[in-house]
């Protein structure tokens, strides 16, 4: 709260771009409104009252109150105070309507609720499956940290996801744009960047203070609550988190679609093709292709219209069926048959080589900076006292002999000629 109040939103964590009808750009005002709401929410949690909040934002020389002071200068105190009061009332209602997380048990309960929403959300396409892997990896990290704030580098995240660093970076950008993720800092030379996973709760009511100008159609946080339709998506993210880093689920292997099909059957065994389309969020051709692969490997069996996991499918051990004469004996064997064996090891070696190269570059740059700050070498024309005899003659620094004809002049420089 101190940093946001004193210095403002330096990292643009609350910045949003909004181009309204007619081409009017309201990004700056929306950013100021979001920052003010964030400060108000922190002030409510700290025990402030509304008058203290208004006084601090208008009277104090704080960066977060600059927009309110500009509004006061242009339109008067009453308009600015009303604008701040709407932000305060909306933040106060939000804080009171949400259960604060005060214990580690409370966080894990909130994380379980977030996980259930992720599992019931359709993640369509290759990008959607990649974002699902990203969120699953981050939920595991947050579970260990006991907080929505967590530290992870892109390379470590990519290894957890079973993807390249570029894929992980692009997924981060999509999640940042979807407001499911926030980057708190850029990290340090020894630690990864700090992130915050955002558990968004649906709004239940619409209030007159939810927008900077009161009730307004299409305004931020306005409008009636709309219940999300039941899409039928339902997977087991814990199983997906255990399998997604394996070579068998690389891009050219089973991939994200095969991962969600197995996770959907692990959540509810015995589904038809149509049901798997919805529960795994895959298209009909993709479902046919992945089910064909899994049947050939002996990981699932087809009974009538329903598909069932083999008894040891989650360990990568197949079962002999009419569709599979030689079932796989483990996930390494599965990766060998799919042609993706060694993908994870190659990725780890590549990342390790990048880390070593980065470390060497940092050492080289540090040496250059150290050399630049050292005292500069004297000019060759300037005589150094240790190489000058009492009578002004020059002394060879290698042999110690006198150099004939070379003397130190009155200005301290070498000169050829008579002394």
């Amino acid at each position: 709260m101190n940093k946001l109040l004193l210095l403002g939103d330096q990292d643009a964590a609350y910045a949003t771009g909004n181009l309204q009808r007619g081409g009017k750009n309201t990004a700056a005002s929306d950013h100021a409104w979001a920052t003010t709401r964030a400060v108000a929410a922190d002030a409510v949690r700290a025990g402030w009252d509304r008058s203290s909040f208004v006084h601090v934002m208008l009277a104090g020389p704080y960066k977060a109150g600059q927009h309110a002071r500009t509004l006061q200068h242009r339109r008067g105190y009453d308009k600015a105070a009303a604008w701040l009061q709407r932000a305060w009332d909306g933040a106060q209602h939000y804080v009171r309507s949400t259960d604060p997380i005060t214990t580690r048990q409370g966080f894990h309960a909130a994380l379980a609720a977030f996980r259930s929403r992720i599992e019931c959300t359709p993640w369509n396409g290759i990008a959607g499956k990649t974002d699902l892997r990203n969120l699953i990896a981050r939920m595991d990290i947050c579970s260990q940290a006991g907080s929505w704030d967590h530290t992870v580098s892109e390379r470590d995240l990519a290894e957890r996801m079973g993807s390249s660093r570029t894929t992980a970076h692009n997924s981060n950008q999509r999640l940042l744009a979807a407001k499911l993720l926030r980057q708190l800092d850029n990290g340090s030379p020894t630690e990864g960047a700090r992130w915050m996973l955002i558990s968004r709760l649906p709004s239940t009511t619409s209030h007159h203070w939810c927008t900077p100008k009161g009730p307004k159609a299409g305004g931020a946080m306005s409008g009636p609550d709309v219940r999300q339709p039941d899409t039928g998506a339902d997977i087991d993210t814990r199983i997906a988190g255990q399998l997604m880093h394996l070579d068998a689920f690389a891009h050219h292997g089973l991939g994200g679609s095969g991962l969600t099909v197995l996770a959907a059957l692990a959540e509810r065994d015995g589904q038809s093709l149509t049901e798997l389309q919805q529960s795994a969020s895959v298209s009909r051709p993709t479902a046919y292709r992945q089910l064909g692969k899994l049947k050939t490997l002996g990981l699932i069996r087809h009974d009538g219209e329903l598909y069932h996991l083999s008894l040891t499918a989650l360990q990568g051990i197949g079962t002999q069926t009419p569709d599979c004469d030689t079932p796989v004996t483990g996930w390494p064997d599965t990766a060998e048959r799919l042609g993706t064996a060694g993908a994870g090891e190659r990725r780890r070696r590549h990342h390790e080589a990048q880390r070593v190269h980065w470390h060497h570059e940092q050492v080289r740059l540090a040496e250059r900076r150290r050399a630049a700050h050292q005292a500069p070498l004297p000019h060759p024309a300037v005589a150094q006292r240790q190489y000058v005899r009492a009578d002004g003659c020059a002394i060879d620094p290698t042999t110690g002999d006198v150099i004939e004809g070379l003397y130190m002049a009155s200005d301290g420089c070498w000169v050829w000629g008579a002394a």
Side-chain angles (χ1 to χ4, degrees), residues 145-157:
S147 171
W148 297 113
D149 296 355
H150 57 284
T151 302
V152 65
S153 66
E154 283 187 348
R155 293 185 182 90
D156 293 337
L157 181 65

Side-chain angles (χ1 to χ4, degrees), residues 14 18 47 55 75 111 119 122 208 228 241 259 289 298 302 316 401:
Y14 299 93
N18 183 18
H55 175 74
R75 305 185 63 184
L111 181 62
E119 292 175 340
H208 67 279
Q228 295 293 332
L259 178 68
R289 184 173 64 254
H302 191 193
D401 299 334

Side-chain angles (χ1 to χ4, degrees), residues 228-309:
Q228 295 293 332
D230 184 11
T231 59
D234 191 13
I235 63 173
D236 189 340
T237 55
R238 297 187 184 277
I239 295 297
Q242 296 172 8
L243 301 178
M244 63 185 184
H245 69 281
L246 299 175
D247 294 344
F249 297 93
H251 177 59
H252 294 290
L254 294 175
S257 300
L259 178 68
T260 54
V261 168
L262 283 178
L265 288 175
E267 179 67 20
R268 182 169 62 88
D269 198 13
Q271 298 187 49
S272 65
L273 178 65
T274 303
E275 291 172 339
L276 277 173
Q277 285 181 242
Q278 296 181 349
S279 60
S281 302
V282 293
S283 64
R284 194 174 186 84
T286 301
Y288 266 123
R289 184 173 64 254
Q290 295 297 342
L291 290 172
K293 287 182 182 180
L294 295 171
K295 286 192 298 182
T296 305
L297 297 171
L299 297 176
I300 65 171
R301 67 180 189 275
H302 191 193
D303 295 336
E305 294 183 355
L306 301 182
Y307 294 89
H308 299 270
L309 287 177

Side-chain angles (χ1 to χ4, degrees), residues 64-377:
Q66 182 176 356
H67 186 84
R69 293 192 296 272
T70 302
L71 186 63
Q72 178 187 10
H73 176 72
R74 293 178 177 178
R75 305 185 63 184
Y77 175 83
D78 293 340
K79 290 289 185 181
W83 188 80
L84 289 172
Q85 288 171 7
R86 282 194 293 271
W88 172 269
D89 293 339
Q92 188 177 48
H93 178 271
Y94 171 77
V95 171
R96 290 177 177 176
S97 62
T98 55
D99 296 328
I101 299 176
T102 57
T103 63
R104 192 177 184 90
Q105 291 78 7
F107 165 74
H108 283 288
L111 181 62
F114 180 71
R115 184 183 292 274
S116 65
R117 291 199 299 273
I118 294 299
E119 292 175 340
C120 297
T121 300
W123 300 91
N124 300 316
I126 296 177
K129 302 298 186 297
T130 304
D131 295 345
L132 174 62
R133 290 189 181 197
N134 194 333
L135 289 175
I136 291 174
R138 291 183 182 276
M139 285 191 291
D140 293 340
I141 298 172
C142 290
S143 178
Q144 297 174 1
S147 171
W148 297 113
D149 296 355
H150 57 284
T151 302
V152 65
S153 66
E154 283 187 348
R155 293 185 182 90
D156 293 337
L157 181 65
E159 292 176 8
R160 287 173 176 266
M161 294 168 55
S163 64
S164 66
R165 183 190 177 187
T166 302
T167 301
H169 173 78
N170 294 336
S171 177
N172 287 337
Q173 298 305 310
R174 289 192 296 268
L175 293 177
L176 287 170
K179 301 299 181 183
L180 290 172
L181 189 65
R182 179 178 298 162
Q183 186 171 359
L184 303 180
D185 60 30
N186 293 322
S188 66
T190 57
E191 293 184 356
R194 288 182 60 243
W195 305 82
M196 183 173 70
L197 197 60
I198 301 176
S199 175
R200 296 192 301 173
L201 296 176
S203 177
T204 56
T205 55
S206 177
H207 301 277
H208 67 279
W209 56 74
C210 287
T211 60
K213 297 182 179 180
K216 186 176 182 181
M221 298 176 60
S222 67
D225 177 41
V226 179
R227 183 178 297 274
Q228 295 293 332
D230 184 11
T231 59
D234 191 13
I235 63 173
D236 189 340
T237 55
R238 297 187 184 277
I239 295 297
Q242 296 172 8
L243 301 178
M244 63 185 184
H245 69 281
L246 299 175
D247 294 344
F249 297 93
H251 177 59
H252 294 290
L254 294 175
S257 300
L259 178 68
T260 54
V261 168
L262 283 178
L265 288 175
E267 179 67 20
R268 182 169 62 88
D269 198 13
Q271 298 187 49
S272 65
L273 178 65
T274 303
E275 291 172 339
L276 277 173
Q277 285 181 242
Q278 296 181 349
S279 60
S281 302
V282 293
S283 64
R284 194 174 186 84
T286 301
Y288 266 123
R289 184 173 64 254
Q290 295 297 342
L291 290 172
K293 287 182 182 180
L294 295 171
K295 286 192 298 182
T296 305
L297 297 171
L299 297 176
I300 65 171
R301 67 180 189 275
H302 191 193
D303 295 336
E305 294 183 355
L306 301 182
Y307 294 89
H308 299 270
L309 287 177
S310 64
L311 296 179
T312 55
L314 299 181
Q315 288 76 41
I317 302 175
T319 304
Q320 188 170 5
T321 63
D323 299 312
C324 176
D325 296 331
T326 55
V328 291
T329 58
W331 290 121
D333 185 21
T334 304
E336 286 285 350
R337 294 198 190 185
L338 296 173
T340 57
E345 183 61 29
R346 289 192 296 270
R347 185 185 305 114
R348 284 188 289 272
R349 289 200 302 265
H350 179 62
H351 289 167
E352 187 60 31
Q354 288 181 334
R355 294 186 182 99
V356 172
H357 174 72
W358 180 87
H359 178 72
H360 289 167
E361 283 295 308
Q362 295 303 309
V363 172
R364 185 180 65 84
L365 292 175
E367 292 176 352
R368 289 184 59 182
R369 288 191 294 267
R370 192 182 305 112
H373 286 85
Q374 292 177 351
L377 295 176

